[in-house]
Amino acid sequence: MTFPIVPLFDTDYQTTLNTKPFLKLAGDVALDASAFKTDSDVISATKTLLSKYSKSVSLLLTGSKQFNEDQLINILNNGISYLFTNDSASIKFDSIPNDRIQSIPQFIQLSSDITLESFIQGFISQIKTDRKDGLYTTLVVDNKERCLGLVYSSLESIKEAITKQVGVYFSRSRNEIWVKGLTSGNTQALLSVDIDCDSDALKFTVSQDGTGFCHTGTKSCFGDLAYGLNGLEHTLNDRMINAVDGSYTQRLFKDETLLNAKIKEEAEELTEATTKNELAWEAADLFYFAMVRLVKNGVSLADVERNLSMKNLKITRRKGDAKPRFLQESAEEPANKKAKLQRTIGANDKIYLDVVQSSNIEGVTKAVTRPIQKTSQIMHLVNPIIDNVKTKGDQALIEYTKKFDGVELKAPVLEAPFPAEYFEGLTEEMKQSLDISIENVRKFHAAQLQKKPLVVTTQPGVICSRFPRAIEKVGLYIPGGTAILPSTALMLGIPAQVAGCKEIIFASPPRKSDGKVSPEVVYVASKCGASKIVLAGGAQAVAAMAYGTESVPKVDKILGPGNQFVTAAKMYVQNDTQALCSIDMPAGPSEVLVIADEDADVDFVASDLLSQAEHGIDSQVILVGVNLSEKKVQLIQEAVHEQACALPRVDIVRQCIAHSTIILCDNYPEAFEMSNKYAPEHLILQINEADRYVPLVDNAGSIFVGSYTPESCGDYSSGTNHTLPTYGYARQYSGANTATFQKFITSQQVTAEGLDNIGKAVMCIAKVEGLDGHRNAVKIRMNKLGLLPKNFQ
Ligand SMILES: NC(=O)c1ccc[n+]([C@@H]2O[C@H](COP(=O)([O-])OP(=O)(O)OC[C@H]3O[C@@H](n4cnc5c(N)ncnc54)[C@H](O)[C@@H]3O)[C@@H](O)[C@H]2O)c1
Ligand SMILES: N[C@H](CO)Cc1c[nH]c[nH+]1
Ligand SMILES: [Zn+2]
């Protein structure tokens, strides 16, 4: 049961509610149809009542038919819960379900007849209690039906609560009426009062003021309520008033075009999500942006829920077909859709990074989220490619190269020594430049070689050692989709040679123009002694090297960066025991995090950000500012825009910067903490005395120290490796190094003395493990050596 009286209103319901505000507590109300001229009048009154005062509104039909069937359907579709009639059994409409027509309930009363006394009396007459103290258990909830606490009411407190429409209860500890908030200031407006199904418990719905309901200062007696959609609504309402200048949420509030684009983008991503995690992730994003739009326009979650309830009452529902425009779009290839989305970022828009304060947890979380691909979707595309290469070998490689790279090959593999025509176009200057890089990379990686085995005598007569062996056959992937990368060829080929790998195979997608790989890549391949170049890219190249084909030898390890298809295929083959093939690391889209302070050169900072932003639309660049002034941030933004516009790959940069951010920190330790959490592939330090801060770095692929160390130097020529872990994998992976091309073997030698030293320990532990064979292998030897007493068991 809800409230035992349903007030019946005419058109002047507003005046009645002003003079008898207690009527709002009934929750359910009815309208007298005979007082309204048109169905629109009924609908307008219904909507006002539902939005301000009532939980449900019904319509009382008396006498002759005031409305025809169509009008009644219109009314029922716009919020009226029931039609009350004198004789529900005799009234039948073809299109109105029977359960929406009810006989007039006894408890309907004309509002003009209801007095405060009769209202209270009507309520009290319906409740009972079996408690010895005569009190009524009372549940207090807020207008979102969230439980605030459990209290008790007496008949007196109920009367006072209804009379004043505020939270009034009975305090058992003080044995007196308790007006909530009288001393704390945390008062309550009473919105409605309900009785439970067996009439012995009450529910007070209130609007809670002040810090909250609980005397401990929390919103409810069961802790705080700032979570989920309600918590988000609360935060966004707060941000509307207090948003930090330049924060992402503030930008969304101000920029209608951006906000609407994000809503469309997230809606589309939700339609593309497949796993539970992805669906929850994308739905959360969509709710977030939708909620920003609601809060911006003063619409509350309660308004949305009311709307849902109203829709639930509809009789005639639309067929539910989608507009043709959306049907057509969802049938489109994902690649087309992505391209379309990219075009929504205008070519003339200013290129600038979002700005968030480090204290803005939500903003920072969003900022450091990689524009990561959905593994399940990519695997969906990659799995059949791998299967086909496994079964059809070279033929599949040739077919995929035609399909994805637009090149028709006769043979998919180029054998060393590589024909002279493949070196055509290579200039002397280029050769010299590559040679400088090759020698520096060789020097740095040769220095990493462990020359002598590591030998440690752990106890007298127990000698342990460890020594490296080169991995025999390695497959090196050299990306070639959006840019040719001879630098990656040397970053992989030289360490493989230094480590002593017996067979080095390159794979790289051929150029569309002539079906060859670039002469620079061929030059590096010959310099590092590669035996073959597989003329294929993507998942098909990875599969060919992992399983082998007629002309591609199966390798033991695949190394090298690449796009999402390459990375997904590498992850797949390393998990397939049939392939028996390991990989270096997940080395996906390039990324950089720059830490800069007020003294940093704005042009240097901008150029470093852009040098990685130009890699691809799925790259990400982050600037962590230490105590940066507003002016400095503005200058950096201007430099980014100006330099970006002059780059040939400005379109790629634009897409990358759209998911890149400036995070403002107050001090250096905070900046490094931020960077360690992000675990960037590249970390650039453009701060005073940069080298002093290196010890603060726990997670990063490679560090670039000081203002004259652009990341480009590491990409090409300094000597460090540029094949580095991305996506935050710098937490657990190292970048490519000499050891990446080796495995380590351990060895031990135990003498009689050694056996005497550790033998008993071995036997003891083997016994507890129940492995007597292990124990015996020691016991036999020790017995023969006379190291055990005769009666030893
Ligand atoms: N982390 C590092 O160390 C590092 C180093 C260098 C480059 N990178 C990154 O490597 C990536 C290189 O990517 P790229 O695309 O330029 O070259 P790529 O060689 O990795 O990929 C090109 C291949 O992808 C395949 N492909 C393209 N579209 C496909 C589709 N729809 N279905 C199936 N396969 C498809 C084709 O086979 C094509 O040959 C960039 O993201 C760059 O940032 C990273
Ligand atoms: N920065 C890339 C690694 O993330 C490597 C590279 C190659 N060419 C230019 N840059
Ligand atoms: Zn680079």
Side-chain angles (χ1 to χ4, degrees):
M1 188 192 286
T2 51
F3 202 92
I5 296 170
V6 174
L8 180 65
F9 291 116
D10 56 19
T11 49
D12 207 11
Y13 60 91
Q14 194 77 63
T15 316
T16 311
L17 283 169
N18 287 343
T19 52
K20 297 181 180 180
F22 58 87
L23 289 178
K24 294 172 202 162
L25 303 182
D28 300 326
V29 299
L31 294 175
D32 182 354
S34 63
F36 292 83
K37 282 203 186 96
T38 65
D39 51 342
S40 310
D41 294 341
V42 174
I43 290 168
S44 140
T46 305
K47 289 194 170 163
T48 309
L49 283 164
L50 285 176
S51 68
K52 289 191 182 161
Y53 314 112
S54 313
K55 283 191 257 180
S56 84
V57 182
S58 296
L59 185 69
L60 177 68
L61 303 170
T62 48
S64 58
K65 285 184 187 171
Q66 290 109 322
F67 298 111
N68 63 31
E69 187 170 350
D70 284 347
Q71 289 167 324
L72 288 176
I73 288 173
N74 190 22
I75 285 170
L76 285 167
N77 279 347
N78 279 284
I80 287 287
S81 296
Y82 298 106
L83 300 176
F84 293 145
T85 70
N86 274 327
D87 181 4
S88 64
S90 68
I91 299 188
K92 289 266 176 285
F93 295 104
D94 288 346
S95 324
I96 301 179
N98 292 342
D99 64 348
R100 300 291 293 277
I101 306 173
Q102 296 196 355
S103 295
I104 300 178
Q106 282 175 5
F107 37 86
I108 248 194
Q109 275 184 37
L110 210 53
S111 59
S112 54
D113 291 345
I114 307 173
T115 62
L116 177 61
E117 289 69 32
S118 66
F119 192 74
I120 293 174
Q121 207 42 52
F123 182 77
I124 285 177
S125 65
Q126 296 299 319
I127 55 177
K128 59 183 190 209
T129 178
D130 51 11
R131 288 178 58 89
K132 287 204 181 90
D133 56 11
L135 299 178
Y136 299 87
T137 309
T138 305
L139 183 67
V140 186
V141 303
D142 69 6
N143 59 349
K144 286 162 183 149
E145 293 283 342
R146 294 177 301 182
C147 176
L148 299 180
L150 190 71
V151 293
Y152 294 88
S153 299
S154 65
L155 289 179
E156 283 314 305
S157 73
I158 294 170
K159 283 180 197 167
E160 194 170 332
I162 294 180
T163 306
K164 296 181 177 160
Q165 299 108 58
V166 295
V168 183
Y169 311 101
F170 188 83
S171 163
R172 290 180 307 160
S173 56
R174 296 198 305 268
N175 197 29
E176 62 180 16
I177 299 272
W178 159 38
V179 182
K180 173 73 188 150
L182 205 58
T183 49
S184 65
N186 297 334
T187 53
Q188 294 177 336
L190 188 56
L191 304 176
S192 63
V193 187
D194 294 278
I195 309 174
D196 80 344
C197 51
D198 49 7
S199 309
D200 62 355
L202 315 182
K203 182 171 87 173
F204 275 34
T205 305
V206 302
S207 162
Q208 177 69 56
D209 254 1
T211 52
F213 180 73
C214 185
H215 70 286
T216 62
T218 53
K219 295 272 178 235
S220 92
C221 291
F222 303 97
D224 256 322
L225 300 169
Y227 45 77
L229 289 177
N230 289 312
L232 177 62
E233 180 183 36
H234 181 84
T235 310
L236 288 174
N237 273 315
D238 180 63
R239 294 285 146 76
M240 262 299 264
I241 308 160
N242 301 319
V244 185
D245 259 5
S247 72
Y248 186 62
T249 311
Q250 192 203 47
R251 201 178 142 207
L252 287 174
F253 280 135
K254 283 188 179 159
D255 188 342
E256 184 86 15
T257 316
L258 172 69
L259 178 56
N260 290 342
K262 289 304 292 181
I263 292 174
K264 287 180 193 167
E265 180 183 323
E266 298 303 343
E268 181 168 274
E269 285 178 10
L270 179 59
T271 65
E272 288 165 7
T274 50
T275 66
K276 259 174 112 173
N277 275 349
E278 288 165 9
L279 284 160
W281 178 278
E282 297 303 343
D285 281 352
L286 181 59
F287 288 165
Y288 167 79
F289 289 105
M291 190 73 91
V292 174
R293 189 145 204 272
L294 295 180
V295 167
K296 179 181 167 174
N297 291 289
V299 180
S300 68
L301 262 185
D303 294 326
V304 176
E305 283 171 355
R306 237 188 326 275
N307 214 280
L308 280 172
S309 307
M310 202 185 282
K311 285 179 177 145
N312 190 37
L313 290 171
K314 280 197 173 183
I315 298 170
T316 48
R317 301 220 170 88
R318 279 192 297 160
K319 256 169 75 196
D321 291 343
K323 290 181 184 164
R325 174 161 72 94
F326 291 104
L327 282 172
Q328 186 192 331
E329 262 183 23
S330 67
E332 265 179 37
E333 283 284 308
N336 286 350
K337 279 199 270 178
K338 194 160 186 186
K340 220 180 231 178
L341 204 70
Q342 284 158 14
R343 264 180 260 127
T344 61
I345 301 181
N348 295 319
D349 291 349
K350 180 133 180 132
I351 299 173
Y352 79 102
L353 296 103
D354 280 338
V355 181
V356 294
Q357 299 286 343
S358 59
S359 55
N360 176 352
I361 311 286
E362 180 202 326
V364 170
T365 309
K366 202 164 168 46
V368 298
T369 304
R370 265 86 174 178
I372 211 157
Q373 313 90 346
K374 293 183 193 82
T375 315
S376 60
Q377 279 175 328
I378 295 159
M379 289 319 295
H380 202 64
L381 297 165
V382 161
N383 283 347
I385 298 178
I386 295 177
D387 283 347
N388 260 335
V389 174
K390 257 163 91 175
T391 50
K392 296 204 296 191
D394 283 354
Q395 190 200 333
L397 267 190
I398 289 173
E399 280 168 17
Y400 284 124
T401 306
K402 184 174 173 200
K403 179 171 175 185
F404 294 126
D405 304 300
V407 175
E408 274 191 71
L409 295 170
K410 288 205 179 73
V413 173
L414 191 65
E415 304 274 348
F418 306 116
E421 59 174 291
Y422 276 84
F423 293 84
E424 268 167 26
L426 194 64
T427 63
E428 264 322 298
E429 188 193 4
M430 177 55 68
K431 273 194 211 168
Q432 280 166 18
S433 302
L434 287 170
D435 287 347
I436 289 176
S437 302
I438 285 172
E439 284 325 308
N440 287 347
V441 170
R442 191 188 300 284
K443 214 183 265 175
F444 188 59
H445 288 76
Q448 294 166 29
L449 268 182
Q450 184 187 318
K451 302 261 164 50
K452 287 191 219 140
L454 173 83
V455 183
V456 178
T457 302
T458 55
Q459 295 222 330
V462 183
I463 303 123
C464 299
S465 66
R466 194 190 80 148
F467 44 85
R469 288 283 185 272
I471 294 170
E472 203 177 315
K473 293 180 183 176
V474 288
L476 312 181
Y477 186 85
I478 320 298
T482 62
I484 56 149
L485 296 179
S487 56
T488 304
L490 70 91
M491 292 292 172
L492 297 169
I494 299 303
Q497 198 181 30
V498 167
C501 298
K502 289 208 178 90
E503 178 145 28
I504 299 172
I505 294 170
F506 274 25
S508 196
R511 302 188 288 213
K512 214 176 185 162
S513 53
D514 58 2
K516 293 180 177 149
V517 284
S518 84
E520 294 81 8
V521 170
V522 181
Y523 177 73
V524 174
S526 66
K527 287 279 282 195
C528 61
S531 61
K532 295 179 173 54
I533 300 177
V534 181
L535 301 170
Q540 59 277 19
V542 173
M545 294 193 288
Y547 301 97
T549 68
E550 302 88 313
S551 54
V552 181
K554 183 218 165 328
V555 300
D556 303 312
K557 185 166 186 176
I558 295 176
L559 304 98
N563 65 13
Q564 50 190 332
F565 305 103
V566 175
T567 312
K570 277 171 65 186
M571 304 288 250
Y572 178 97
V573 299
Q574 81 161 337
N575 285 318
D576 183 3
T577 44
Q578 269 191 344
L580 208 62
C581 181
S582 68
I583 65 164
D584 49 355
M585 74 196 91
S590 305
E591 55 193 40
V592 66
L593 186 146
V594 180
I595 300 182
D597 60 16
E598 190 68 13
D599 291 335
D601 183 307
V602 295
D603 296 322
F604 293 179
V605 172
S607 68
D608 284 344
L609 294 170
L610 293 171
S611 74
Q612 292 315 289
E614 76 172 351
H615 267 293
I617 59 166
D618 40 10
S619 283
Q620 188 174 55
V621 302
I622 301 225
L623 170 62
V624 175
V626 184
N627 262 326
L628 289 190
S629 63
E630 253 180 58
K631 180 80 197 148
K632 190 86 178 179
V633 173
Q634 193 193 334
L635 288 174
I636 292 172
Q637 298 273 30
E638 280 166 15
V640 166
H641 179 75
E642 206 171 298
Q643 290 185 28
C645 288
L647 293 173
R649 289 165 75 101
V650 59
D651 286 341
I652 292 177
V653 169
R654 218 178 261 287
Q655 312 289 331
C656 167
I657 297 290
H659 44 243
S660 298
T661 309
I662 300 176
I663 302 173
L664 299 176
C665 290
D666 292 334
N667 51 55
Y668 293 99
E670 195 191 10
F672 280 87
E673 200 183 312
M674 194 70 71
S675 170
N676 283 329
K677 270 197 193 137
Y678 184 70
E681 181 196 9
H682 307 101
L683 170 62
I684 301 184
L685 305 182
Q686 294 210 34
I687 51 180
N688 276 316
E689 298 185 278
D691 47 347
R692 282 208 312 123
Y693 288 91
V694 174
L696 293 188
V697 181
D698 293 326
N699 302 321
S702 198
I703 313 176
F704 300 78
V705 186
S707 48
Y708 294 107
T709 319
E711 199 236 288
S712 320
C713 286
D715 274 351
Y716 297 110
S717 308
S718 60
T720 61
N721 208 291
H722 84 200
T723 308
L724 298 165
T726 59
Y727 302 133
Y729 278 109
R731 279 183 196 83
Q732 51 276 95
Y733 281 95
S734 319
N737 58 82
T738 309
T740 319
F741 296 82
Q742 300 169 318
K743 73 261 177 179
F744 288 81
I745 301 174
T746 57
S747 145
Q748 58 241 276
Q749 188 168 4
V750 180
T751 63
E753 184 192 14
L755 205 55
D756 195 19
N757 281 331
I758 61 172
K760 284 191 180 140
V762 174
M763 286 193 287
C764 176
I765 301 172
K767 190 173 187 178
V768 79
E769 291 189 355
L771 299 174
D772 276 15
H774 289 62
R775 190 167 185 269
N776 219 24
V778 173
K779 196 172 148 195
I780 284 177
R781 286 178 169 82
M782 288 187 77
N783 263 332
K784 281 203 176 165
L785 286 166
L787 295 172
L788 295 175
K790 281 219 169 77
N791 54 353
F792 184 82
Q793 286 307 310

